[in-house]
Amino acid sequence: MKKHLFLICSLIILITGTSFKPPAVTGYQPGDVVMDFSLKSVNGKMISLAGYDNVKGAIVIFTCNHCPFSQAYEDRIIAMHNKFATKGFPVVAINSNDKDLVPEDSYEEMISRAKEHQYPFEYIYDETQKVAKAFGAARTPHVFIVSKEKAGFVMKYIGAIDDNTDDAKAATKHYVDDAVNSLVKGEDVAVKTTKAIGCTIKWKQ
């Protein structure tokens, strides 16, 4: 299935003409303090990390509507929020794709998908793509786990959700679950970075 998803994403790139060189990905590294942002959610509210009271951190996920990889992980992301929000780590989903390249990822379509699939988490629109660039997000889905500390929200994990896009039950490594469980216990995250697998973010040309 991974090969199938890759071919679909490649076809989308050909159709939309996104063959230009994407911006260099730098972004945050584990241990960095994350700069706050303020982005519009599908419910019309402006969402920021600082606006989350009584949390221990957040699971920030760059995702979108159209990407087959994001769709494959959608139920897992919903389950992840339901599992960890009560433990102080809610999911914050961010769509940074250029709507002119992929109309399916427009703000209006985000609203529709969030309602259709009953997202329990905030789904917010990074229209300028500044937040994606600051984080160093490159693919969808791309996960960034931050922990709320005295210095601010500190990066703890960057990468994939697990090691099996095709089948959640067949996954043998659960990177996000392991990282958040460690943070909830007050422990250090053992695996701090993994390779995110998914469609490339569709950057403005």
Side-chain angles (χ1 to χ4, degrees):
M1 183 177 176
K2 288 183 179 179
K3 183 177 180 181
H4 178 64
L5 294 176
F6 175 78
L7 290 173
I8 292 174
C9 288
S10 298
L11 181 60
I12 290 171
I13 291 172
L14 290 173
I15 293 173
T16 57
T18 54
S19 58
F20 71 102
K21 185 177 181 180
V25 177
T26 52
Y28 300 119
Q29 299 298 316
D32 289 348
V33 176
V34 174
M35 185 178 295
D36 201 10
F37 53 75
S38 181
L39 298 174
K40 190 175 182 180
S41 175
V42 293
N43 60 21
K45 298 179 181 179
M46 299 303 293
I47 302 299
S48 64
L49 289 176
Y52 279 86
D53 297 324
N54 302 318
V55 299
K56 296 180 180 179
I59 306 168
V60 180
I61 304 178
F62 288 85
T63 185
C64 66
N65 290 355
H66 90 276
C67 174
F69 289 87
S70 291
Q71 292 174 10
Y73 274 106
E74 191 167 46
D75 288 342
R76 273 173 272 186
I77 293 172
I78 292 172
M80 190 186 305
H81 175 82
N82 291 335
K83 179 179 181 179
F84 290 120
T86 56
K87 296 182 179 181
F89 283 86
V91 165
V92 182
I94 302 177
N95 170 29
S96 300
N97 279 348
D98 181 9
K99 62 180 175 60
D100 293 330
L101 292 176
V102 189
E104 190 177 343
D105 289 337
S106 69
Y107 180 70
E108 292 72 23
E109 291 298 323
M110 289 173 61
I111 294 173
S112 296
R113 191 167 190 90
K115 287 182 178 178
E116 179 183 356
H117 294 272
Q118 300 182 335
Y119 286 177
F121 47 79
E122 296 291 355
Y123 189 26
I124 57 183
Y125 189 32
D126 178 25
E127 187 171 10
T128 66
Q129 303 185 324
K130 289 182 179 179
V131 176
K133 291 176 182 177
F135 272 73
R139 298 188 176 277
T140 53
H142 202 159
V143 182
F144 297 80
I145 299 175
V146 294
S147 176
K148 191 175 183 180
E149 302 179 3
K150 289 183 179 180
F153 283 89
V154 179
M155 190 65 66
K156 295 297 182 178
Y157 170 80
I158 301 170
I161 292 173
D162 57 36
D163 67 345
N164 196 314
T165 301
D166 303 345
D167 185 357
K169 293 181 180 179
T172 59
K173 296 180 180 179
H174 303 86
Y175 306 118
V176 170
D177 280 24
D178 291 345
V180 176
N181 283 327
S182 292
L183 292 172
V184 169
K185 295 176 183 177
E187 300 172 354
D188 191 26
V189 175
V191 179
K192 295 179 172 59
T193 61
T194 60
K195 182 179 180 180
I197 304 296
C199 302
T200 57
I201 288 179
K202 302 304 179 280
W203 302 104
K204 294 178 182 293
Q205 298 188 33

